[in-house]
């Protein structure tokens, strides 16, 4: 039977980053199992690629404070580009409640060491982006080191580096079951796959929106639900600057960023319900364009090709934070799940945290107990409200 020191189930950006961090820390016998014939067919290839440190909870801010400098030095570390573009995130508030929320978040972000965030007033936003309808914008917050990466290139770079240094990637291979022997007879797992069984002491669930089905294989009920998100790219459009940051209209949640010669439009439809819905709903275009033209009147003139729009899945947890670390009930089985829309931006921190927890048993990057599985049973959930 094939053996591995660590088996990672899922070869998206999270599995790839964990593989990179494990191998970089000296653990060479790492096996990544991916059911698709190519990487990136899960959420990673569907992502908007936004990276930001403007969060409301300390642990999310801390994960970004590791991840964003990592992205800034990605090519030096790994030898391949991630296409990090620090064009910023600009949150635009249209009422005093949202402004107070941004102020409170700003204070936390600065207290935790974020240097590049600042509060901006409505006049500044209006003069910088006269294309925005600014009559109701009362202020905002901007962080210049927030921005975008190319999720696909990042994932491939992590995995290529890991493979070049000893890790193995099995594509076109599904995990179909997991058996664990009793601790007194070794505590090893037998991971059943469509390519045969693998014996290992450590299994990491990196299966994205499908994580609950993997957890079920070891008898764990994991609170991770798939939720559809849709993105609409515009055709080439030059009536808004391509140097713009990700701009978020807090009155509706509509947000957009430059992409290629056009823009990528996003909006979280509050009527969306959980489920494995991967199809793009054409009626979404009219809904999102209504919000787009309301905030950016020149978007009335934008051309959309519905065939280029797409849908993917967020992997939601009840408190919008990931579940990281070892299962309390199944020693040796680790979670790296439930990123709730932040798995690309937090993949560097996740890789480091999981590698630390697996190889050393602790991490200095965050207080890992905050994100462990037990927080749900123990009533210690910590809600992130800055979810786009
Ligand atoms: C429209 C959209 C926009 C987004 N925008 C952003 C953003 O701006 N910034 C950000 O940080 N995040 C964003 N996200 C979220 C981000 O894409 C995800 O959090 C991230 O990609 C999760 O990575 P992953 O590796 O955990 O999951 P995935 O990329 O889904 O990888 C999981 C892999 O597991 C494999 N798998 C599942 N079951 C099995 C099995 N039984 N055997 C073997 N393999 C299996 C799947 O095939 C898949 O490849 C967005 C997501 C969507 C859908």
């Amino acid at each position: 039977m094939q053996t591995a020191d660590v088996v990672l189930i899922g070869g998206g950006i999270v599995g790839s980053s964990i593989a990179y961090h494990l191998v970089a820390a000296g653990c060479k016998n790492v096996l990544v199992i991916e059911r698709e014939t190519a990487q990136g067919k899960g959420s990673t290839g569907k992502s908007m690629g936004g990276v930001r440190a403007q969060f409301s909870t300390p642990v999310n801010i801390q994960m970004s404070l590791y991840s964003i400098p990592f992205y800034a030095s990605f090519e030096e570390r790994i030898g391949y580009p991630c296409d990090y573009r620090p064009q910023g995130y600009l949150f635009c508030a249209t009422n005093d409640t949202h402004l107070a929320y941004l102020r409170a978040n700003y204070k936390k972000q600065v207290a935790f060491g974020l240097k590049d965030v600042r509060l901006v007033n409505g006049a500044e936003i209006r003069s910088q982006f006269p294309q925005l309808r600014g009559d109701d914008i009362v202020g905002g917050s901007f962080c210049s080191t927030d921005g975008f990466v190319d999720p696909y290139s990042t994932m491939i770079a992590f995995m290529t580096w890991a493979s070049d240094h000893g890790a193995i990637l099995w594509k076109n291979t599904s995990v179909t079951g997991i058996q664990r022997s009793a601790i007194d007879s070794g505590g090893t797992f037998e991971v059943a796959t469509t390519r045969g069984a693998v014996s290992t002491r450590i299994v990491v669930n990196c299966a994205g929106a499908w994580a609950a089905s993997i957890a079920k294989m070891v008898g764990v009920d994991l609170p991770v639900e798939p939720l559809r998100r849709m993105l609409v790219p515009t055709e080439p459009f030059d009536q808004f600057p391509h140097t713009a940051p990700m701009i978020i209209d807090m009155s509706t949640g509509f947000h957009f960023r430059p992409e290629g010669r056009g823009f990528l439009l996003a909006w979280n439809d509050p009527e969306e319900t959980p489920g494995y819905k991967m199809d793009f709903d054409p009626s979404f275009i009219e809904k999102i364009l209504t919000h787009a033209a309301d905030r950016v009147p020149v978007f009335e003139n934008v051309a959309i090709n519905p065939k280029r729009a797409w849908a993917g899945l967020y992997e939601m947890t009840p408190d919008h934070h990931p579940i990281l670390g070892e299962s309390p009930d199944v020693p040796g089985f680790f979670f790296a799940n439930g990123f709730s829309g932040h798995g690309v931006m937090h993949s560097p921190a996740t890789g480091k945290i999981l590698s630390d927890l697996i190889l050393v048993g602790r991490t200095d990057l965050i207080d890992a107990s905050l994100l462990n599985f037990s927080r749900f049973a123990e009533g210690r959930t910590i809600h992130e409200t800055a979810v786009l």
Side-chain angles (χ1 to χ4, degrees), residues 10 13-14 34-35 43-44 47-48 50 175 315 341-345:
I13 199 166
V14 169
E34 169 54 52
R35 71 176 166 196
S43 302
T44 301
S47 169
M48 198 174 187
V175 170
E315 346 76 304
H342 311 133
V344 167
M345 64 182 89

Side-chain angles (χ1 to χ4, degrees), residues 60 63 317 319-324 337-340 371-372 375:
N60 271 340
M63 287 182 71
T317 62
D319 64 0
H320 303 139
H321 281 87
I323 302 169
L324 304 182
N337 304 120
F339 293 90
S340 306
L371 298 184
N372 67 15
R375 74 180 188 269

Side-chain angles (χ1 to χ4, degrees), residues 52 63 77 98 128 176 205 207 211-212 219 279 289 320 379:
R52 65 178 156 116
M63 287 182 71
R77 290 169 189 257
H98 285 156
Q128 201 182 356
T176 53
N205 183 352
D279 52 315
L289 280 183
H320 303 139

Side-chain angles (χ1 to χ4, degrees), residues 84-105:
Y84 168 59
R85 282 158 284 161
Q87 292 183 208
Y89 263 57
L90 173 65
F91 285 83
C92 299
T94 54
N95 60 47
D96 290 342
T97 310
H98 285 156
L99 200 55
Y101 172 76
L102 291 180
R103 257 194 223 111
N105 289 350

